Amino acid sequence: MNFIFISPNFPRTYWNFCDRLKKRGVNVLGIGDAPYDGLPSELKGSLTEYYKVNDMKDYPSMYKAVAYYAFHYGKIDFLESNNEFWLSQDASLRTDFNITSGVNSAQIVSFQSKAEMKKFYAKGGIPTARQAKVDTLENALSFIGEVLYPIIVKPEVGVGAEATYKISDEGELRHFFDTKPAVPYVMEEFITGDIYSYDAIVDSEGEPLFESSAHFPPSVMDIVNDNLDMVYYVLKDVPGQLRERGRATVKAFGVRSRFVHFEFFRLSVDKGSLGKKGDFIGLEVNMRPAGGYTPDMMNFAHNSDVYDIWAEMMVHDRASASSLPKDADHWCLYYGRRDAHNYVHSPEEIRSRYGNRIAMNERIPAAIAPDMGEYMYTLHAFSEEELHEMISFIGETWK
């Protein structure tokens, strides 16, 4: 089996995906822009071969790399990056090389367009915020007349909370139209609530082999725009209604053989026809694993190996029983600090206080620091009280 893995060195823990494939006898063929000598040893040991391109955004270069592998190794069975930024390019390469094991160019639009997503949510009976495409000030004002301020505007196709804004009055709305990037935007009614994820590895029939959930307070949009610390955590259990609606989303979108990350609002107040306080409503789908170090956090929280579960699904279309969750009795916290903030407690104090509760701590690559903070800690927490105490301690700043 020949498996092309795009950008296998980023995020850095993605070498685990390659390693689990190799352990199943797969030829793992890497394509990236990092020099081979700079790759971590774990990744080098997981790859059959590595092809360096100068610019991964240059499609002819990527096409040439895939053609090289197809000529030297024969039929390419899979091509994946598991990275939101490259999903469209992944789909184009699959289409051009007739790799039928994943999403093609026509399908990817439905998965990445926030406007197209609404149709599939409706098909699955999952409530979502009202939305309109933003093309003129007049249309925007008409939509706001229905939903009222505040509203959210965001690129129709985008990664994370990039260029996403909350607009609270007409002055802010006019400023947005005067300065907005030259890309299609959508506008949504504002929802009061927290963001939860439904994360799953699903087989070729769309059945979940692994499920998890994370809680994201506050929104990534606020974190990016206000330079806040990034704080979120993987729950020890998936809430019942979230599990139900996550599975319905998988079916509505026709997801097959993928690691997915779906985002939902949990309403903090009653919201008319959308639902009651505590209900989950659809926000957006991501046809890849949760970003950053979240896959590792799932492993810490559930005593599992999601990389192994994913690889077993890709190769044998089943779960790796030995890697499934066991003794899942705690949460896993992510705390991303900002270099610009003046914290009360030093890194030494954090290490002294929490000791072996710290699962990971390191600087964050600049490419994802706006979302994730410049320095991260992940910690095991065995109660919600302990989790919130950790948040308070690590995040305390001088007034």
Side-chain angles (χ1 to χ4, degrees):
M1 179 182 290
N2 296 316
F3 195 117
I4 293 179
F5 205 106
I6 306 294
S7 189
N9 60 308
F10 185 83
R12 71 164 186 82
T13 56
Y14 272 23
W15 69 266
N16 287 283
F17 285 120
C18 300
D19 172 77
R20 305 311 188 273
L21 289 171
K22 182 183 179 182
K23 288 177 177 175
R24 288 165 171 79
V26 176
N27 278 330
V28 187
L29 308 168
I31 301 176
D33 55 8
Y36 179 78
D37 289 345
L39 300 180
S41 59
E42 299 95 337
L43 178 56
K44 289 179 180 178
S46 303
L47 297 176
T48 301
E49 189 171 349
Y50 179 74
Y51 189 111
K52 180 186 178 299
V53 297
N54 291 327
D55 182 1
M56 289 182 60
K57 295 179 183 178
D58 179 54
Y59 191 77
S61 296
M62 297 298 292
Y63 184 97
K64 182 179 178 182
V66 176
Y68 168 86
Y69 280 143
F71 178 78
H72 285 84
Y73 293 92
K75 180 179 181 297
I76 304 301
D77 299 287
F78 293 94
L79 184 150
E80 296 284 352
S81 68
N82 282 345
N83 190 312
E84 184 74 28
F85 193 84
W86 303 116
L87 290 188
S88 293
Q89 184 171 262
D90 293 349
S92 296
L93 290 167
R94 287 191 207 101
T95 300
D96 287 346
F97 285 89
N98 194 32
I99 303 169
T100 59
S101 56
V103 179
N104 62 32
S105 296
Q107 296 168 316
I108 197 67
V109 175
S110 300
F111 293 162
Q112 292 194 304
S113 164
K114 294 176 177 63
E116 290 297 312
M117 288 178 192
K118 295 289 184 179
K119 301 174 184 177
F120 290 90
Y121 279 127
K123 176 183 174 182
I126 301 152
T128 61
R130 286 172 288 180
Q131 183 191 91
K133 289 192 176 183
V134 176
D135 49 6
T136 67
L137 176 63
E138 291 70 25
N139 287 348
L141 289 169
S142 176
F143 177 72
I144 292 168
E146 298 176 16
V147 302
L148 305 179
Y149 290 108
I151 51 91
I152 298 294
V153 291
K154 51 190 175 183
E156 183 180 347
V157 176
V159 178
E162 180 183 12
T164 297
Y165 309 104
K166 178 182 177 182
I167 294 176
S168 300
D169 56 43
E170 188 170 325
E172 292 180 358
L173 180 68
R174 291 181 179 276
H175 176 73
F176 164 73
F177 273 96
D178 289 340
T179 60
K180 84 176 187 69
V183 296
Y185 262 74
V186 294
M187 177 178 292
E188 288 189 346
E189 65 179 316
F190 183 79
I191 301 297
T192 303
D194 288 337
I195 295 176
Y196 284 73
S197 69
Y198 171 82
D199 300 281
I201 298 171
V202 300
D203 66 15
S204 65
E205 299 297 322
E207 296 298 324
L209 303 176
F210 167 87
E211 296 171 295
S212 183
S213 177
H215 180 206
F216 295 83
S219 73
V220 177
M221 177 189 71
D222 293 335
I223 289 166
V224 173
N225 293 338
D226 299 332
N227 199 34
L228 303 176
D229 290 352
M230 174 52 138
V231 182
Y232 71 98
Y233 49 88
V234 172
L235 284 66
K236 71 172 186 176
D237 297 306
V238 182
Q241 188 190 67
L242 179 59
R243 186 189 302 272
E244 173 189 321
R245 292 190 169 176
R247 291 179 177 182
T249 303
V250 168
K251 297 297 184 185
F253 280 81
V255 181
R256 299 287 185 271
S257 303
R258 296 201 72 78
F259 203 145
V260 298
H261 172 69
F262 299 160
E263 296 175 3
F264 290 80
F265 279 118
R266 188 173 200 174
L267 299 177
S268 57
V269 296
D270 292 353
K271 188 66 174 177
S273 61
L274 286 181
K276 299 293 186 181
K277 178 180 178 180
D279 284 347
F280 291 92
I281 70 169
L283 174 55
E284 63 182 64
V285 301
N286 300 279
M287 299 299 175
R288 43 78 180 173
Y293 300 92
T294 313
D296 304 278
M297 294 169 61
M298 294 175 192
N299 288 341
F300 299 145
H302 305 310
N303 192 15
S304 59
D305 185 343
V306 298
Y307 302 107
D308 201 64
I309 298 167
W310 173 85
E312 183 75 358
M313 177 274 295
M314 296 299 290
V315 176
H316 298 298
D317 198 29
R318 65 192 182 200
S320 179
S322 62
S323 298
L324 288 171
K326 43 193 173 292
D327 303 323
D329 62 350
H330 65 283
W331 294 255
C332 186
L333 168 68
Y334 179 98
Y335 201 107
R337 281 181 155 193
R338 300 286 179 187
D339 289 345
H341 297 173
N342 188 14
Y343 297 98
V344 172
H345 302 292
S346 67
E348 292 74 22
E349 289 178 276
I350 293 171
R351 285 194 294 270
S352 175
R353 186 180 185 90
Y354 297 116
N356 60 11
R357 294 294 183 88
I358 300 174
M360 302 171 70
N361 65 287
E362 60 187 57
R363 287 203 68 80
I364 294 295
I368 57 175
D371 287 352
M372 306 300 293
E374 281 83 26
Y375 197 92
M376 64 83 97
Y377 295 88
T378 63
L379 303 97
H380 301 273
F382 289 90
S383 71
E384 291 193 78
E385 292 76 17
E386 182 181 45
L387 183 148
H388 290 292
E389 185 275 331
M390 290 174 168
I391 293 172
S392 296
F393 186 85
I394 297 172
E396 186 178 3
T397 56
W398 295 105
K399 306 302 182 184

